[in-house]
mmCIF file of all heavy atoms in Angstrom:
data_model
loop_
_atom_site.group_PDB
_atom_site.id
_atom_site.type_symbol
_atom_site.label_atom_id
_atom_site.label_comp_id
_atom_site.label_asym_id
_atom_site.label_seq_id
_atom_site.Cartn_x
_atom_site.Cartn_y
_atom_site.Cartn_z
ATOM 1 N N GLY F 1431 -11.911 -0.104 45.477
ATOM 2 C CA GLY F 1431 -13.102 0.097 46.245
ATOM 3 C C GLY F 1431 -14.302 -0.268 45.370
ATOM 4 O O GLY F 1431 -14.211 -0.171 44.129
ATOM 5 N N ALA F 1432 -15.389 -0.750 45.973
ATOM 6 C CA ALA F 1432 -16.521 -1.201 45.165
ATOM 7 C C ALA F 1432 -17.783 -1.204 45.997
ATOM 8 O O ALA F 1432 -17.759 -0.920 47.206
ATOM 9 C CB ALA F 1432 -16.245 -2.599 44.613
ATOM 10 N N GLY F 1433 -18.915 -1.541 45.396
ATOM 11 C CA GLY F 1433 -20.142 -1.704 46.148
ATOM 12 C C GLY F 1433 -21.369 -1.664 45.221
ATOM 13 O O GLY F 1433 -21.223 -1.575 43.991
ATOM 14 N N MET F 1434 -22.555 -1.808 45.851
ATOM 15 C CA MET F 1434 -23.792 -1.701 45.086
ATOM 16 C C MET F 1434 -24.184 -0.239 45.017
ATOM 17 O O MET F 1434 -24.136 0.477 46.041
ATOM 18 C CB MET F 1434 -24.895 -2.506 45.761
ATOM 19 C CG MET F 1434 -24.622 -4.005 45.862
ATOM 20 S SD MET F 1434 -24.244 -4.765 44.242
ATOM 21 C CE MET F 1434 -25.864 -4.737 43.463
ATOM 22 N N VAL F 1435 -24.548 0.232 43.811
ATOM 23 C CA VAL F 1435 -24.822 1.679 43.621
ATOM 24 C C VAL F 1435 -25.939 2.093 44.584
ATOM 25 O O VAL F 1435 -27.010 1.447 44.647
ATOM 26 C CB VAL F 1435 -25.232 1.958 42.139
ATOM 27 C CG1 VAL F 1435 -25.501 3.457 41.971
ATOM 28 C CG2 VAL F 1435 -24.131 1.494 41.199
ATOM 29 N N HIS F 1436 -25.701 3.172 45.291
ATOM 30 C CA HIS F 1436 -26.652 3.676 46.281
ATOM 31 C C HIS F 1436 -27.934 4.107 45.563
ATOM 32 O O HIS F 1436 -27.899 4.709 44.487
ATOM 33 C CB HIS F 1436 -26.037 4.875 47.011
ATOM 34 C CG HIS F 1436 -26.733 5.240 48.274
ATOM 35 N ND1 HIS F 1436 -27.970 5.809 48.315
ATOM 36 C CD2 HIS F 1436 -26.338 5.051 49.566
ATOM 37 C CE1 HIS F 1436 -28.321 5.998 49.574
ATOM 38 N NE2 HIS F 1436 -27.356 5.526 50.362
ATOM 39 N N PRO F 1437 -29.116 3.846 46.185
ATOM 40 C CA PRO F 1437 -30.388 4.226 45.532
ATOM 41 C C PRO F 1437 -30.446 5.710 45.171
ATOM 42 O O PRO F 1437 -31.006 6.068 44.107
ATOM 43 C CB PRO F 1437 -31.457 3.846 46.589
ATOM 44 C CG PRO F 1437 -30.800 2.815 47.429
ATOM 45 C CD PRO F 1437 -29.333 3.069 47.394
ATOM 46 N N VAL F 1438 -29.873 6.565 46.019
ATOM 47 C CA VAL F 1438 -29.901 7.989 45.727
ATOM 48 C C VAL F 1438 -29.153 8.300 44.433
ATOM 49 O O VAL F 1438 -29.575 9.123 43.601
ATOM 50 C CB VAL F 1438 -29.234 8.771 46.935
ATOM 51 C CG1 VAL F 1438 -29.006 10.230 46.559
ATOM 52 C CG2 VAL F 1438 -30.154 8.662 48.161
ATOM 53 N N VAL F 1439 -28.034 7.580 44.230
ATOM 54 C CA VAL F 1439 -27.215 7.805 43.055
ATOM 55 C C VAL F 1439 -27.965 7.306 41.785
ATOM 56 O O VAL F 1439 -28.002 7.970 40.757
ATOM 57 C CB VAL F 1439 -25.839 7.127 43.182
ATOM 58 C CG1 VAL F 1439 -25.033 7.294 41.911
ATOM 59 C CG2 VAL F 1439 -25.085 7.704 44.381
ATOM 60 N N LEU F 1440 -28.612 6.153 41.939
ATOM 61 C CA LEU F 1440 -29.402 5.626 40.797
ATOM 62 C C LEU F 1440 -30.475 6.628 40.407
ATOM 63 O O LEU F 1440 -30.646 6.938 39.233
ATOM 64 C CB LEU F 1440 -30.084 4.290 41.204
ATOM 65 C CG LEU F 1440 -29.225 3.039 41.169
ATOM 66 C CD1 LEU F 1440 -29.996 1.838 41.716
ATOM 67 C CD2 LEU F 1440 -28.745 2.735 39.732
ATOM 68 N N ARG F 1441 -31.128 7.148 41.417
ATOM 69 C CA ARG F 1441 -32.197 8.127 41.135
ATOM 70 C C ARG F 1441 -31.633 9.372 40.468
ATOM 71 O O ARG F 1441 -32.183 9.900 39.515
ATOM 72 C CB ARG F 1441 -32.952 8.486 42.453
ATOM 73 C CG ARG F 1441 -34.314 9.129 42.167
ATOM 74 C CD ARG F 1441 -35.141 9.360 43.422
ATOM 75 N NE ARG F 1441 -35.486 8.158 44.130
ATOM 76 C CZ ARG F 1441 -35.056 7.873 45.374
ATOM 77 N NH1 ARG F 1441 -34.249 8.704 46.016
ATOM 78 N NH2 ARG F 1441 -35.387 6.749 45.989
ATOM 79 N N ASN F 1442 -30.442 9.851 40.984
ATOM 80 C CA ASN F 1442 -29.824 11.033 40.381
ATOM 81 C C ASN F 1442 -29.412 10.786 38.958
ATOM 82 O O ASN F 1442 -29.307 11.692 38.131
ATOM 83 C CB ASN F 1442 -28.602 11.470 41.189
ATOM 84 C CG ASN F 1442 -29.009 12.098 42.509
ATOM 85 O OD1 ASN F 1442 -30.155 12.548 42.655
ATOM 86 N ND2 ASN F 1442 -28.096 12.121 43.495
ATOM 87 N N GLY F 1443 -29.167 9.513 38.628
ATOM 88 C CA GLY F 1443 -28.823 9.168 37.236
ATOM 89 C C GLY F 1443 -30.052 8.941 36.370
ATOM 90 O O GLY F 1443 -29.918 8.716 35.167
ATOM 91 N N GLY F 1444 -31.244 8.985 36.977
ATOM 92 C CA GLY F 1444 -32.463 8.825 36.197
ATOM 93 C C GLY F 1444 -33.096 7.465 36.303
ATOM 94 O O GLY F 1444 -34.140 7.206 35.699
ATOM 95 N N TYR F 1445 -32.493 6.526 37.088
ATOM 96 C CA TYR F 1445 -33.015 5.185 37.188
ATOM 97 C C TYR F 1445 -33.869 5.049 38.437
ATOM 98 O O TYR F 1445 -33.497 5.550 39.513
ATOM 99 C CB TYR F 1445 -31.873 4.158 37.219
ATOM 100 C CG TYR F 1445 -31.195 3.990 35.866
ATOM 101 C CD1 TYR F 1445 -30.229 4.903 35.457
ATOM 102 C CD2 TYR F 1445 -31.540 2.949 35.032
ATOM 103 C CE1 TYR F 1445 -29.601 4.783 34.230
ATOM 104 C CE2 TYR F 1445 -30.903 2.791 33.792
ATOM 105 C CZ TYR F 1445 -29.949 3.700 33.392
ATOM 106 O OH TYR F 1445 -29.331 3.584 32.197
ATOM 107 N N ASP F 1446 -34.998 4.323 38.309
ATOM 108 C CA ASP F 1446 -35.860 4.089 39.463
ATOM 109 C C ASP F 1446 -35.285 2.977 40.318
ATOM 110 O O ASP F 1446 -35.224 1.844 39.871
ATOM 111 C CB ASP F 1446 -37.252 3.698 38.914
ATOM 112 C CG ASP F 1446 -38.204 3.351 40.050
ATOM 113 O OD1 ASP F 1446 -37.806 3.383 41.215
ATOM 114 O OD2 ASP F 1446 -39.399 3.022 39.742
ATOM 115 N N PRO F 1447 -34.841 3.288 41.556
ATOM 116 C CA PRO F 1447 -34.164 2.274 42.358
ATOM 117 C C PRO F 1447 -35.079 1.125 42.787
ATOM 118 O O PRO F 1447 -34.567 0.080 43.255
ATOM 119 C CB PRO F 1447 -33.662 3.058 43.581
ATOM 120 C CG PRO F 1447 -34.335 4.354 43.545
ATOM 121 C CD PRO F 1447 -34.874 4.616 42.201
ATOM 122 N N SER F 1448 -36.397 1.285 42.644
ATOM 123 C CA SER F 1448 -37.253 0.150 42.981
ATOM 124 C C SER F 1448 -37.253 -0.876 41.846
ATOM 125 O O SER F 1448 -37.663 -2.021 42.021
ATOM 126 C CB SER F 1448 -38.691 0.610 43.307
ATOM 127 O OG SER F 1448 -39.247 1.158 42.136
ATOM 128 N N ARG F 1449 -36.866 -0.492 40.654
ATOM 129 C CA ARG F 1449 -36.781 -1.439 39.524
ATOM 130 C C ARG F 1449 -35.354 -1.796 39.140
ATOM 131 O O ARG F 1449 -35.068 -2.863 38.677
ATOM 132 C CB ARG F 1449 -37.460 -0.813 38.298
ATOM 133 C CG ARG F 1449 -39.002 -0.806 38.388
ATOM 134 C CD ARG F 1449 -39.566 -0.321 37.077
ATOM 135 N NE ARG F 1449 -39.044 -1.090 35.921
ATOM 136 C CZ ARG F 1449 -38.647 -0.533 34.778
ATOM 137 N NH1 ARG F 1449 -38.724 0.748 34.591
ATOM 138 N NH2 ARG F 1449 -38.216 -1.296 33.797
ATOM 139 N N PHE F 1450 -34.450 -0.829 39.307
ATOM 140 C CA PHE F 1450 -33.060 -1.018 38.854
ATOM 141 C C PHE F 1450 -32.090 -1.162 40.034
ATOM 142 O O PHE F 1450 -32.306 -0.575 41.107
ATOM 143 C CB PHE F 1450 -32.614 0.146 37.967
ATOM 144 C CG PHE F 1450 -33.246 0.179 36.624
ATOM 145 C CD1 PHE F 1450 -34.435 0.884 36.419
ATOM 146 C CD2 PHE F 1450 -32.670 -0.515 35.576
ATOM 147 C CE1 PHE F 1450 -35.001 0.917 35.169
ATOM 148 C CE2 PHE F 1450 -33.251 -0.492 34.303
ATOM 149 C CZ PHE F 1450 -34.442 0.232 34.108
ATOM 150 N N SER F 1451 -31.064 -1.926 39.773
ATOM 151 C CA SER F 1451 -29.989 -1.983 40.767
ATOM 152 C C SER F 1451 -28.653 -1.927 39.968
ATOM 153 O O SER F 1451 -28.664 -2.094 38.730
ATOM 154 C CB SER F 1451 -30.061 -3.265 41.594
ATOM 155 O OG SER F 1451 -30.089 -4.389 40.714
ATOM 156 N N GLY F 1452 -27.551 -1.757 40.666
ATOM 157 C CA GLY F 1452 -26.289 -1.677 39.947
ATOM 158 C C GLY F 1452 -25.096 -1.905 40.857
ATOM 159 O O GLY F 1452 -25.245 -1.833 42.078
ATOM 160 N N PHE F 1453 -23.969 -2.247 40.247
ATOM 161 C CA PHE F 1453 -22.737 -2.269 41.054
ATOM 162 C C PHE F 1453 -21.726 -1.321 40.416
ATOM 163 O O PHE F 1453 -21.820 -0.996 39.230
ATOM 164 C CB PHE F 1453 -22.188 -3.687 41.228
ATOM 165 C CG PHE F 1453 -21.619 -4.369 39.977
ATOM 166 C CD1 PHE F 1453 -20.446 -3.914 39.401
ATOM 167 C CD2 PHE F 1453 -22.297 -5.457 39.438
ATOM 168 C CE1 PHE F 1453 -19.922 -4.549 38.282
ATOM 169 C CE2 PHE F 1453 -21.781 -6.117 38.284
ATOM 170 C CZ PHE F 1453 -20.574 -5.644 37.716
ATOM 171 N N ALA F 1454 -20.765 -0.907 41.252
ATOM 172 C CA ALA F 1454 -19.729 0.002 40.757
ATOM 173 C C ALA F 1454 -18.418 -0.357 41.481
ATOM 174 O O ALA F 1454 -18.427 -0.913 42.559
ATOM 175 C CB ALA F 1454 -20.092 1.459 41.029
ATOM 176 N N PHE F 1455 -17.340 -0.048 40.802
ATOM 177 C CA PHE F 1455 -16.033 -0.217 41.430
ATOM 178 C C PHE F 1455 -15.064 0.817 40.904
ATOM 179 O O PHE F 1455 -15.306 1.423 39.837
ATOM 180 C CB PHE F 1455 -15.471 -1.649 41.174
ATOM 181 C CG PHE F 1455 -15.389 -2.021 39.740
ATOM 182 C CD1 PHE F 1455 -14.279 -1.620 38.968
ATOM 183 C CD2 PHE F 1455 -16.390 -2.754 39.135
ATOM 184 C CE1 PHE F 1455 -14.193 -1.987 37.636
ATOM 185 C CE2 PHE F 1455 -16.304 -3.085 37.777
ATOM 186 C CZ PHE F 1455 -15.203 -2.707 37.030
ATOM 187 N N GLY F 1456 -13.986 1.048 41.648
ATOM 188 C CA GLY F 1456 -12.997 2.016 41.200
ATOM 189 C C GLY F 1456 -11.629 1.524 41.595
ATOM 190 O O GLY F 1456 -11.401 1.177 42.756
ATOM 191 N N LEU F 1457 -10.716 1.402 40.613
ATOM 192 C CA LEU F 1457 -9.387 0.886 40.933
ATOM 193 C C LEU F 1457 -8.316 1.827 40.400
ATOM 194 O O LEU F 1457 -8.603 2.658 39.511
ATOM 195 C CB LEU F 1457 -9.210 -0.521 40.341
ATOM 196 C CG LEU F 1457 -9.445 -0.738 38.862
ATOM 197 C CD1 LEU F 1457 -8.149 -0.554 38.089
ATOM 198 C CD2 LEU F 1457 -9.990 -2.123 38.648
ATOM 199 N N GLY F 1458 -7.109 1.723 40.939
ATOM 200 C CA GLY F 1458 -6.048 2.614 40.551
ATOM 201 C C GLY F 1458 -4.940 1.858 39.809
ATOM 202 O O GLY F 1458 -4.168 1.116 40.437
ATOM 203 N N PRO F 1459 -4.821 2.065 38.501
ATOM 204 C CA PRO F 1459 -3.824 1.289 37.710
ATOM 205 C C PRO F 1459 -2.384 1.517 38.181
ATOM 206 O O PRO F 1459 -1.563 0.603 38.093
ATOM 207 C CB PRO F 1459 -4.000 1.811 36.299
ATOM 208 C CG PRO F 1459 -5.372 2.401 36.235
ATOM 209 C CD PRO F 1459 -5.667 2.878 37.634
ATOM 210 N N GLN F 1460 -2.056 2.729 38.687
ATOM 211 C CA GLN F 1460 -0.670 2.939 39.112
ATOM 212 C C GLN F 1460 -0.340 2.044 40.310
ATOM 213 O O GLN F 1460 0.711 1.429 40.370
ATOM 214 C CB GLN F 1460 -0.453 4.398 39.485
ATOM 215 C CG GLN F 1460 0.004 5.262 38.326
ATOM 216 C CD GLN F 1460 -1.149 5.594 37.380
ATOM 217 O OE1 GLN F 1460 -2.058 6.321 37.711
ATOM 218 N NE2 GLN F 1460 -1.143 5.016 36.190
ATOM 219 N N ARG F 1461 -1.242 1.966 41.252
ATOM 220 C CA ARG F 1461 -1.004 1.125 42.434
ATOM 221 C C ARG F 1461 -0.863 -0.344 41.980
ATOM 222 O O ARG F 1461 -0.041 -1.080 42.513
ATOM 223 C CB ARG F 1461 -2.158 1.268 43.428
ATOM 224 C CG ARG F 1461 -2.217 2.645 44.105
ATOM 225 C CD ARG F 1461 -1.640 2.625 45.525
ATOM 226 N NE ARG F 1461 -1.687 3.941 46.102
ATOM 227 C CZ ARG F 1461 -2.679 4.441 46.803
ATOM 228 N NH1 ARG F 1461 -3.751 3.690 47.055
ATOM 229 N NH2 ARG F 1461 -2.629 5.658 47.284
ATOM 230 N N ILE F 1462 -1.680 -0.715 41.006
ATOM 231 C CA ILE F 1462 -1.638 -2.135 40.556
ATOM 232 C C ILE F 1462 -0.310 -2.423 39.841
ATOM 233 O O ILE F 1462 0.328 -3.434 40.082
ATOM 234 C CB ILE F 1462 -2.845 -2.431 39.660
ATOM 235 C CG1 ILE F 1462 -4.107 -2.474 40.514
ATOM 236 C CG2 ILE F 1462 -2.666 -3.736 38.896
ATOM 237 C CD1 ILE F 1462 -5.382 -2.719 39.762
#
Side-chain angles (χ1 to χ4, degrees):
M1434 298 304 289
V1435 181
H1436 196 288
V1438 168
V1439 177
L1440 280 175
R1441 197 174 298 116
N1442 288 339
Y1445 287 82
D1446 176 358
S1448 65
R1449 285 187 52 224
F1450 288 91
S1451 55
F1453 69 70
F1455 56 83
L1457 56 91
Q1460 270 75 69
R1461 292 257 177 91
I1462 289 178

